Each structure stands twice: as structure tokens, then as C-alpha cells.
Amino acid sequence: MPHLLDLEGYLQRIGFVGEPRVDVTTLRALATAHIAAIPFENLDPLLGTPVSLELAAIEAKLVKSQRGGYCFEQNGLFLAALKAIGFDASGLIARVLWNQPEDAEVPQTHMLVRVEVEGESWLADVGFGSMALGGALRLVVDEAQPTSLEPFRLITDGTQWRTQALVRDQWRTLYRFRLQTAEAIDYVVGNHFTSTYPSSHFRHSLIVARTLADRRLGLRNREFVVHSLGHESERRTLQSTDEIKRVIEEQFGIRLPASPLLDAKLGALPMPDA
């Protein structure tokens, strides 16, 4: 039998108050609550632990064990929650272009969600780490749309779409994608590549992110950054393994996994470039 999501447990995990309805207001509220409560993190790939995309495993990790995860887990859980509420929702797959040239040849390693609600198509994405989408975007072309933080927009050449965020007065592309629904096997392949390919940055770098109402928190190896709207970013280099663990637990709300490799992996993380 297919696993049934404990919807009430999920709503409690993200701190959603009230009765969820099949409307845009609920969709936006769910996405904003999710990214604030469930952080992006790649501890399992870093530790060499297999990443399961089975809903039961995702729920056990992200909901019950107070962990985070990356896009396939985050948006897989979000999609299951939307469907449990009654939304008409489906998964898409994208090629990440963040900090890459616009024409870069990159694999399909990112999941996002399409939702049909109130007579319109919307996009939601609770799994893009440092630039997680606060809310949802109407599937319209070249229109700046407000979110809980930066404005976002969608552009298209008629075949491929690109999601962009306005960062320091410049539109920057997060990823490109097509509108056809992805098959489950597409996520299995992308997840396997992302979590096991020898040169995948998820295998060698610590990446943790959390998006709150007024700021984004990020941890890349030993560099902890707080990006607040309208202010200069605050950066701090974490010197010791204990300090890294304390920031992960206190700032990101993650219950660290029991692993004999954890201290060794965190202790070996490189210092930021000067």
C-alpha cells in the first residue's frame, strides 16, 4: 500500500495554524512556513548516507526527526502535503543555473512543483536552499512578483522557462525547466547523481540554509552568513567542530544525525577563501 502522509504532523512541524484550504492564500502560507521550519541541508550525502525518496523515509527524516533535506526531499514532501489537502499539483524537474552561465550544460538535478488553483497555474519551490522561494509564483511571463523576501519572475523562450530573483538590482537565474510533468524515475536519477557522483558538491561541501520572514541564513562549510533585507550581509567563520554543530542546531534547528563520521567530516571542512 502507498504510504499516507501524516498531514497533521506535517502541519505541526511547519507551524501552520488554521484549516488548510485549496486556495492561493493557503498555498503561499504553506510554502513560507515550510522554508522557515524545515531547513535545506545535505548532511546525508556529506556523510555518505543514502538519500531515500520514498515518502515514508522523507517524512521520518524531515517531519519526525527534525532534520532538513535537499530539493527532492523538500519538494517531494511539499507535493505530498498539497495533494493530501486536495490541491491539483504535480512535480517538474529543472537544470540549476545559479552562479552558472546562462547557457551552461548542466544535468536535471532540481525538483519544483506546479499547482493548478483558482483557475490559474502556479509554481512553488521549497527546496532551493539559499534562494528558497517564499510563497508561490503565478505562471506568467516577465512579471516581477513579490515574495516574502526578494521579487521573483519567470521568463520563457516559448519552450524553456527560467526562474529569476532580483538580487542587488540584477535579475539572476536560479534554473531553467520545461512544463511537462516529471516522471518519478527522473527524480531517482537526479537524486542518485546529486548524492553519489564523485564530483557532486553535495558530497564534499556542507550546505545548510533557512529562509525566515526577514532574512536568509546560510552555512557553506565554515562560513555562516545572515542576509537581511536592506542590510549588509553578516559573515562569520566557524573555527571549531563544536561551533559548527552549535550553529547547525541553534540557528537552523536541525537535530544532528548520529554518525561516527560527523565530527571527522565537519573538522575537515576547509576555511573560506581569504
Side-chain angles (χ1 to χ4, degrees):
M1 292 288 291
H3 178 76
L4 295 178
L5 177 71
D6 175 8
L7 180 60
E8 185 60 33
Y10 168 77
L11 295 176
Q12 290 179 1
R13 171 74 167 99
I14 67 172
F16 184 88
V17 178
E19 185 70 24
R21 304 178 184 278
V22 181
D23 57 27
V24 172
T25 299
T26 296
L27 172 63
R28 285 173 158 165
L30 287 169
T32 302
H34 182 118
I35 59 177
I38 305 180
F40 182 100
E41 51 108 326
N42 71 317
L43 286 165
D44 283 352
L46 184 66
L47 295 170
T49 303
V51 177
S52 174
L53 298 189
E54 294 295 326
L55 180 58
I58 296 174
E59 181 181 31
K61 178 182 175 182
L62 275 65
V63 176
K64 297 178 181 178
S65 298
Q66 201 172 324
R67 287 282 305 279
Y70 61 13
C71 72
F72 296 114
E73 301 165 286
Q74 298 273 10
N75 280 315
L77 176 62
F78 192 63
L79 176 59
L82 291 178
K83 288 183 174 181
I85 293 167
F87 282 93
D88 177 5
S90 58
L92 306 178
I93 195 163
R95 302 179 189 275
V96 176
L97 294 173
W98 186 246
N99 294 325
Q100 299 275 358
E102 288 289 322
D103 59 351
E105 294 184 359
V106 290
Q108 295 185 116
T109 57
H110 183 65
M111 179 183 181
L112 63 154
V113 177
R114 180 175 179 174
V115 186
E116 309 299 324
V117 60
E118 296 185 359
E120 291 186 300
S121 295
W122 293 75
L123 293 178
D125 184 357
V126 297
F128 200 75
S130 62
M131 287 301 297
L133 174 61
L137 300 177
R138 290 172 54 236
L139 192 62
V140 295
V141 179
D142 202 16
E143 178 182 310
Q145 301 185 50
T147 73
S148 61
L149 290 168
E150 303 87 352
F152 279 63
R153 73 176 182 182
L154 300 167
I155 61 174
T156 184
D157 61 7
T159 302
Q160 296 194 94
W161 291 71
R162 293 173 190 256
T163 299
Q164 297 184 325
L166 188 61
V167 180
R168 297 188 184 91
D169 299 320
Q170 180 181 0
W171 287 106
R172 297 184 57 192
T173 299
L174 279 67
Y175 45 78
R176 69 175 186 266
F177 61 96
R178 299 173 188 265
L179 294 180
Q180 55 261 47
T181 301
E183 303 285 345
I185 191 63
D186 297 330
Y187 299 137
V188 172
V189 171
N191 176 59
H192 180 71
F193 175 89
T194 302
S195 62
T196 68
Y197 189 64
S199 62
S200 169
H201 63 278
F202 289 106
R203 293 278 316 277
H204 308 289
S205 298
L206 174 65
I207 305 170
V208 191
R210 185 181 181 194
T211 301
L212 302 173
D214 60 346
R215 64 194 184 279
R216 297 183 182 275
L217 309 180
L219 177 60
R220 182 67 179 255
N221 290 329
R222 295 176 181 271
E223 185 177 58
F224 175 53
V225 185
V226 180
H227 302 288
S228 300
L229 283 181
H231 298 86
E232 288 294 320
S233 298
E234 302 174 25
R235 301 177 184 273
R236 176 158 61 97
T237 299
L238 309 182
Q239 301 293 333
S240 68
T241 298
D242 285 344
E243 190 177 13
I244 298 171
K245 291 165 69 174
R246 187 164 57 250
V247 166
I248 291 173
E249 292 173 331
E250 295 178 0
Q251 297 296 324
F252 297 94
I254 293 171
R255 185 183 300 153
L256 289 169
S259 168
L261 292 175
L262 181 61
D263 282 9
K265 284 287 186 178
L266 296 182
L269 293 174
M271 289 290 182
D273 294 335

